[in-house]
Amino acid sequence: MKKSFFMLVVATLILGACKKEEEPQKSLYLRLGGNAAIQAVIDQFIANVAADARINAFFAQAAADPARLKKLRDNLVNQIGEATGGPEKYTGLDMKTAHKGMKITDAHFNALVEDLSLALDKFSVPAMEKTELLTALGGMRADIVGQ
Ligand code: HEM
């Protein structure tokens, strides 16, 4: 009796461990908290950029036009939603076209990433999710810098 109970416990533990291994990793989108969390981060990010003298001049036209700013904000939410595995569809310009002629430097790019990083910190996004998101965006650098 005792032995079969022991075997049952062992079998349960083994099955439990196997099941865990089979469970697919949740998408970055879900780990970030989905659309509502991404919207909150983007709003904070935009506030950080607006206050950042290193790069806010780039956004003067958008800042002066509420409809244009809303479009940029929605584009960013959809872009990040889609890039992290969410159901959103990004319908804006590709990154090369969107930043053509802006002469964005690595320093500008780094400043913007820092503003996003601070927004992620404000919402206590864990280190792993933060690194994954910033790495994904870092992959866009070549299409944005020096265009
Ligand atoms: C990974 C980094 C970046 C991402 C993901 C990103 C994403 C975007 C997106 C989605 C748009 C809208 C495209 C459209 O209108 O269809 C946009 C526009 C724009 N981006 Fe970026 N961008 C990045 C870096 C930068 C940097 C570093 C700067 C300058 C410091 C910059 C300046 C701008 C400006 C000025 C616009 C046009 C805004 C307007 O007036 O409507 N971007 N970007």
Side-chain angles (χ1 to χ4, degrees):
M1 186 64 178
K2 253 186 180 171
K3 199 178 167 195
S4 59
F5 178 69
F6 176 71
M7 292 304 284
L8 184 67
V9 170
V10 170
T12 308
L13 287 174
I14 291 172
L15 281 175
C18 290
K19 192 167 168 272
K20 235 183 202 163
E21 257 173 47
E22 281 162 19
E23 260 171 30
Q25 162 81 292
K26 266 198 197 174
S27 67
L28 176 56
Y29 178 80
L30 291 178
R31 283 179 283 129
L32 286 171
N35 185 276
I38 293 173
Q39 284 196 48
V41 167
I42 291 300
D43 286 338
Q44 182 60 50
F45 163 66
I46 288 174
N48 293 347
V49 169
D52 187 342
R54 296 171 296 178
I55 54 172
N56 57 11
F58 283 93
F59 299 92
Q61 283 176 299
D65 178 347
R68 186 164 171 168
L69 188 61
K70 186 187 181 304
K71 192 173 163 218
L72 179 61
R73 176 219 187 251
D74 292 347
N75 266 331
L76 289 169
V77 170
N78 290 336
Q79 186 186 37
I80 290 189
E82 185 175 298
T84 55
E88 291 82 0
K89 294 282 169 244
Y90 174 65
T91 56
L93 298 169
D94 67 86
M95 291 298 92
K96 252 187 189 231
T97 309
H99 301 93
K100 211 167 191 68
M102 289 187 189
K103 301 199 178 342
I104 293 168
T105 64
D106 273 318
H108 294 135
F109 190 92
N110 294 344
L112 182 132
V113 169
E114 199 182 301
D115 292 339
L116 179 58
S117 176
L118 289 171
L120 293 165
D121 287 346
K122 179 134 187 181
F123 290 97
S124 306
V125 170
M128 188 169 116
E129 281 67 32
K130 195 177 153 184
T131 303
E132 275 181 56
L133 180 60
L134 295 180
T135 304
L137 297 181
M140 300 175 184
R141 182 186 289 260
D143 284 342
I144 293 170
V145 170
Q147 299 302 318

